[in-house]
Amino acid sequence: MSDPAARAADLLKEHRESIDRLDAILVFTLAERFKHTQSVGVLKATHDLPPSDPAREEQQIARLKDLAEKADLDPAFAEKFLNFIIQEVIKHHEKHQS
């Protein structure tokens, strides 16, 4: 039978490897998302649309909170995360308008 400390170290290594893979997925997913929001920013600037769409943002926050609940993730955390992303997207959209 293996040493409990060695087994714990093996489990920790496995968890960390999974976390590293998931972090990579998050980064590539965010990059893909921002590619699309950059295109939206250009489209909005071209057609003199406002950089922010509060109704859409509210709808997306509600949708994400619902998904978070289904995924057993804290909806308040999901909301904070999406609000952060939305603020970054708006900054990018504002840059396209200037």
Side-chain angles (χ1 to χ4, degrees):
M1 185 165 230
S2 89
D3 168 8
R7 178 70 182 135
D10 287 343
L11 289 171
L12 182 60
K13 182 178 183 265
E14 289 174 22
H15 285 299
R16 287 180 172 165
E17 287 170 351
S18 290
I19 289 167
D20 291 349
R21 284 190 299 274
L22 291 165
D23 286 345
I25 290 167
L26 286 171
V27 167
F28 281 96
T29 301
L30 284 171
E32 184 68 19
R33 188 185 196 287
F34 276 100
K35 286 176 190 171
H36 287 284
T37 60
Q38 289 287 354
S39 295
V40 168
V42 170
L43 186 63
K44 285 181 171 186
T46 302
H47 296 282
D48 289 325
L49 297 170
S52 175
D53 184 346
R56 163 96 173 138
E57 293 159 20
E58 188 176 314
Q59 180 185 49
Q60 286 299 95
I61 289 168
R63 182 177 149 281
L64 194 70
K65 286 172 70 175
D66 182 58
L67 288 171
E69 286 180 14
K70 290 175 182 170
D72 198 26
L73 177 68
D74 179 5
F77 170 77
E79 182 176 5
K80 287 179 198 173
F81 182 71
L82 187 59
N83 277 324
F84 173 76
I85 291 172
I86 289 169
Q87 292 310 308
E88 289 300 308
V89 168
I90 290 170
K91 285 181 200 174
H92 293 167
H93 289 186
E94 288 170 344
K95 285 181 188 175
H96 288 295
Q97 301 225 337
S98 45

